[in-house]
Amino acid sequence: MAFSNSTYQMPPWLRPAAQRLSPTIRTLVVALGVPWLFYILVAPARRLVDAYLALGPGVMRGQVWQIVTALFVDRNPLAFLNLLGLWFVGAAIERTLGRRRFLIVFFAPGLAANLVIALLSAWWGQWALYSGCGDAVLGLFVGLAVLYGPAQVRVFGTLAMPARALAAIFVGLALISSATYGAWPAVFGTLTTVCVAYFLCGGRGRDLREFTSWLRRKFGQRRWQVMDGGKLPKRPGRFN
C-alpha cells in the first residue's frame, strides 16, 4: 500500500489546544501527570509516597526534600484540573516572560507556599499531608492578572472575562476551600503564592490599586439610594 508524501494536517478544531502545548508546558504536564497517575493506579506505593514525598511532619525530621517533591506528587483524584489550568494559562505566560522567567514564576510561588505551610504546621502542631502543584498553577493565574489586567480571556466558547477577574475567582475558591476544612496553613500558603507570583511578574502596587478600584466600580454601586426629598434617581445603579 502506497502512502502519500504529503505531511499530516492537524484538524482545525485541535489547533487551539495544540498551540497551548509548548515544549515547556508538555514537559511539565508529563512530569506532573505521570507521578499522579502512578499514585492513583499503583495502590501499594501510596504509603511510601505519603511518608516520603508528600509534605508532612517528616519534613521536620530532616526530610526537607518534601518541600520540592510535594509539587510533583498529588494525592487528589481531581489533580488533572491542575494540569488543565497549567495547559490553559501556561503558554501565554511563557510567551510573555520567556521560558526561564516562566519556570521561576511557576516553581517559586509553589515552593514558597510549601515552606510556609511546613513552618506554620510545625508552629501550630496542625499537620496534614499536602501535595500537588495547585499553588504553583494558581501563581500562573496571578501572573496572568498582572500581565494582562483588564484584557478579556476566553474561558469557554463565547464566555470571556477580564484576566484579573478570572484570577480573583480562582484565588477566592482556593482560600474558601482551605478555610472550609480548617486548613489554615494552606490558607497562608495560598496568600504566599499570590504575593510571590504578583511581585515576580512585575506587580508593584499599581495593578493592585487598579484592581481594587475596578472592584469598587463594579460592585460598589448602590442599588437603592435615598435622595434629597425622598426622590429616587432616574437611573439607579445596577450590577453588570
Side-chain angles (χ1 to χ4, degrees), residues 63-130:
Q63 299 176 14
V64 293
W65 60 81
Q66 292 181 357
I67 293 175
V68 177
T69 57
L71 290 178
F72 293 91
V73 297
D74 204 320
R75 304 166 59 250
N76 189 345
L78 299 179
F80 68 90
L81 295 176
N82 291 331
L83 301 181
L84 183 63
L86 173 60
W87 164 82
F88 181 81
V89 73
I93 303 296
E94 184 184 5
R95 283 195 300 268
T96 303
L97 298 180
R99 182 176 62 180
R100 182 174 299 179
R101 273 191 74 187
F102 164 77
L103 291 174
I104 293 174
V105 170
F106 180 76
F107 284 109
L111 293 173
N114 284 351
L115 179 61
V116 169
I117 288 172
L119 293 176
L120 291 180
S121 296
W123 186 21
W124 291 333
Q126 181 183 352
W127 280 105
L129 290 178
Y130 296 93

Side-chain angles (χ1 to χ4, degrees), residues 136-153:
V137 173
L138 186 64
L140 295 182
F141 279 93
V142 174
L144 187 75
V146 174
L147 297 171
Y148 290 89
Q152 294 290 314
V153 177

Side-chain angles (χ1 to χ4, degrees), residues 126 177-185 187:
Q126 181 183 352
S177 175
S178 298
T180 300
Y181 289 99
W184 298 110
V187 170

Side-chain angles (χ1 to χ4, degrees), residues 2 24 42 69 131 179 197:
T24 304
V42 185
T69 57
S131 63

